[in-house]
Amino acid sequence: MFRHTKRLQFEARPERPDPLYARKLQELIGGAYGEMSVTMQYLFQGWNCRVEGKYKDLLMDTATEEIGHVEMLATMVARLLEGAPATMTADAVKDPVMAAVLGGMDPQQAIVGGGGALPSDSQGVPWNGRYIVASGNLLADFRANAAAEAQGRLQTARLYNMTDDPGVKAMLQFNLARDTVHQKQWLKAIEELESDGLETPIVPNALFDEEDQEHNHTIWRLSDGTDGKNGGWTQGDDPLEYLEDPQPLGGPGTAPAPDPALYGTYNPIADAKGTVKGKAQAAVKKAKGK
């Protein structure tokens, strides 16, 4: 059950309207790393969590807070759009600066949202549920959560430097702080999953004996750069081997003969024994019923 409180988690009141900045803030609402994404990510992780107790409670606490962040940002967007475009359009014809502001705003905020926020990013692309990660494996999910909070804080920091409005900056200062906390909590939760014996560093903690033992400890040098071997990953108690000149292990990536009914262009090149051409011809004859 969710219950709405008619107060914002933190104040969201700009000093003055700014339709252009309202469009920029849409990224923090409906972008790939926006508040809608982390809200739904944490909700589904929490709903799907099979471990009752501290991990599920942390997920649900944070998910519910993120709903409040969407509300804060939506309120800020509506207030930044105050007076636009209805009462500002006439002045825009006379004032080049105002015309530039109106020219940079998202028209859908007026046409579709009625002067309010939208579930979309700064380019007007609708939010997509495919942005979220909820795998059921808490270690994999918490790592994704830490990355999402890092990207979100990065974008918030960039937007912080794109405004001089004291009210907007105050709200973003709060958001920056909460993103800091959330990164810390997921990183600590990752450590605790391991100390509780629920997970080990590699996800999933299975099939280690089944995997190819020859290739589970090597880094292939496949770029012109030469410094990859100088990282800490090639040192310590469990170093990874850096292969300077790795060679392909498979044969040519040639697709099989196409179904004749699909009319795909095909001209097989025989190998040294002619087997490629022979097999291809046999496949075509079989498909034609000959």
Side-chain angles (χ1 to χ4, degrees):
M1 180 179 76
F2 292 87
R3 179 172 293 168
H4 179 251
T5 300
K6 291 186 177 181
R7 294 186 62 187
L8 299 175
Q9 187 183 17
F10 190 86
E11 190 56 84
R13 189 175 298 280
E15 187 174 275
R16 59 191 176 279
D18 186 344
L20 178 57
Y21 196 78
R23 177 175 183 172
K24 295 177 182 178
L25 272 187
Q26 282 287 160
E27 193 65 33
L28 298 187
I29 295 176
Y33 300 104
E35 302 291 358
M36 287 184 64
S37 289
V38 288
T39 295
M40 299 307 294
Q41 181 156 308
Y42 303 161
L43 281 174
F44 275 92
Q45 288 179 9
W47 290 330
N48 294 339
C49 182
R50 267 68 170 180
V51 184
E52 293 293 339
K54 59 186 177 182
Y55 296 115
K56 185 164 188 171
D57 289 353
L58 180 63
L59 282 164
M60 297 308 296
D61 285 339
T62 314
T64 308
E65 178 181 355
E66 302 294 6
I67 299 175
H69 291 181
V70 177
E71 182 181 33
M72 286 166 49
L73 286 162
T75 301
M76 180 65 82
V77 165
R79 290 171 175 172
L80 286 167
L81 289 171
E82 182 180 2
T87 59
M88 296 168 67
T89 306
D91 292 335
V93 179
K94 307 171 187 178
D95 184 352
V97 175
M98 190 62 70
V101 170
L102 283 172
M105 72 176 288
D106 184 351
Q108 290 218 338
Q109 288 176 325
I111 298 168
V112 178
L118 299 167
S120 58
D121 66 14
S122 55
Q123 292 298 317
V125 178
W127 181 82
N128 192 320
R130 291 185 178 274
Y131 294 154
I132 75 168
V133 175
S135 70
N137 182 290
L138 290 182
L139 181 55
D141 285 352
F142 288 177
R143 285 175 174 169
N145 294 352
E149 293 287 351
Q151 292 289 345
R153 192 176 191 280
L154 177 62
Q155 293 181 357
T156 301
R158 288 169 174 167
L159 280 162
Y160 181 78
N161 290 323
M162 295 180 188
T163 181
D164 58 1
D165 187 300
V168 176
K169 291 183 84 74
M171 186 197 73
L172 293 181
Q173 286 170 340
F174 177 81
N175 287 6
L176 286 167
R178 299 311 297 164
D179 287 346
T180 295
V181 171
H182 292 163
Q183 286 189 58
K184 289 180 178 179
Q185 76 180 39
W186 298 128
L187 292 173
K188 289 180 179 295
I190 288 169
E191 293 178 359
E192 193 142 338
L193 278 170
E194 298 179 13
S195 65
D196 285 347
L198 294 176
E199 295 291 345
T200 59
I202 303 300
V203 178
N205 180 23
L207 302 179
F208 293 115
D209 292 335
E210 300 291 329
E211 68 189 20
D212 189 327
Q213 302 299 309
E214 184 179 353
H215 300 288
N216 63 5
H217 62 280
T218 57
I219 298 175
W220 290 28
R221 177 176 173 261
L222 295 173
S223 72
D224 288 340
T226 59
D227 292 330
K229 62 184 177 182
N230 297 328
W233 42 87
T234 61
Q235 305 164 20
D237 295 334
D238 187 23
L240 298 177
E241 179 185 354
Y242 199 77
L243 300 183
E244 289 284 359
D245 187 27
Q247 297 299 311
L249 302 176
T254 305
D259 183 337
L262 298 179
Y263 307 109
T265 303
Y266 187 63
N267 184 22
I269 300 175
D271 60 19
K273 298 180 180 180
T275 56
V276 172
K277 184 175 181 179
K279 290 180 179 178
Q281 289 175 338
V284 172
K285 289 180 179 180
K286 182 178 180 181
K288 291 181 178 180
K290 294 182 178 179

